[in-house]
């Protein structure tokens, strides 16, 4: 059972010295602190922080489409401004195979999905 109250560890004089809290609470506090710190940064500092990070960030329109369960291959292909034929060629697959990936609820063949991810400059996990 998860502990919900912090455990207080006292020093030799009986004053609180440490607090042990559940990991979820710690994580929430750290994320809240980061958010507050980021609000204090100038736009230039925020941009510098983003540029120093290796992660790619996508516009809200892309995220909204992914959250709306639009096929991720389609979303990223359109975001990268690639035609159907360009992506198929870059991934080394036929346009029919790409069409199968982008249409319907069928699971994408894993053997092609990693090639498509690479052609889109993404990780395999971004498409599943």
């Amino acid at each position: 059972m998860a502990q919900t109250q912090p455990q207080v560890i006292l020093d030799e004089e009986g004053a609180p010295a440490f607090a042990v809290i559940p990991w979820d609470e710690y994580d929430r506090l750290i994320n809240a602190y980061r958010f507050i710190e980021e609000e204090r940064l100038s736009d230039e500092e925020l941009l510098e922080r983003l540029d120093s990070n290796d992660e790619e960030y996508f516009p809200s329109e892309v995220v909204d489409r992914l959250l709306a369960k639009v096929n991720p291959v389609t979303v990223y292909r359109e975001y990268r401004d690639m035609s159907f034929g360009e992506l198929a060629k870059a991934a080394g697959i036929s346009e029919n195979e790409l069409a199968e990936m982008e249409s319907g609820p069928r699971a994408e063949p894993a053997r092609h999905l990693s090639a498509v991810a690479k052609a889109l400059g993404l990780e395999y996990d971004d498409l599943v």
Side-chain angles (χ1 to χ4, degrees):
M1 177 190 271
Q3 184 176 354
T4 57
Q5 296 297 316
Q7 177 184 1
V8 178
I9 300 173
L10 306 175
D11 64 15
E12 298 91 27
E13 295 160 7
F18 298 95
V20 179
I21 60 174
W23 187 260
D24 289 343
E25 182 65 10
Y26 168 80
D27 197 38
R28 186 189 67 75
L29 290 170
I30 289 297
N31 287 328
Y33 173 77
R34 287 183 187 138
F35 178 76
I36 290 168
E37 285 300 305
E38 287 177 356
E39 283 189 338
R40 295 180 184 164
L41 298 176
S42 69
D43 290 344
E44 292 80 17
E45 290 169 321
L46 280 171
L47 184 58
E48 184 178 311
R49 184 179 280 186
L50 288 175
D51 286 343
S52 68
N53 193 340
D54 288 341
E55 286 187 56
E56 181 176 9
Y57 294 90
F58 296 97
S60 61
E61 295 82 15
V62 170
V63 175
D64 290 343
R65 291 183 72 201
L66 293 169
L67 291 173
K69 304 287 186 199
V70 176
N71 184 294
V73 175
T74 304
V75 172
Y76 289 116
R77 177 181 60 78
E78 291 174 353
Y79 174 70
R80 297 281 194 235
D81 200 26
M82 295 179 83
S83 71
F84 206 77
E86 289 171 332
L87 178 55
K89 184 177 180 179
I93 62 174
S94 73
E95 290 187 30
N96 285 340
E97 290 169 317
L98 182 59
E100 286 180 25
M101 287 182 165
E102 288 196 22
S103 66
R106 285 191 284 174
E108 295 83 7
R111 61 192 164 112
H112 299 312
L113 199 55
S114 55
V116 170
K118 184 176 181 181
L120 289 168
L122 301 168
E123 299 292 325
Y124 175 84
D125 290 347
D126 293 325
L127 298 180
V128 292

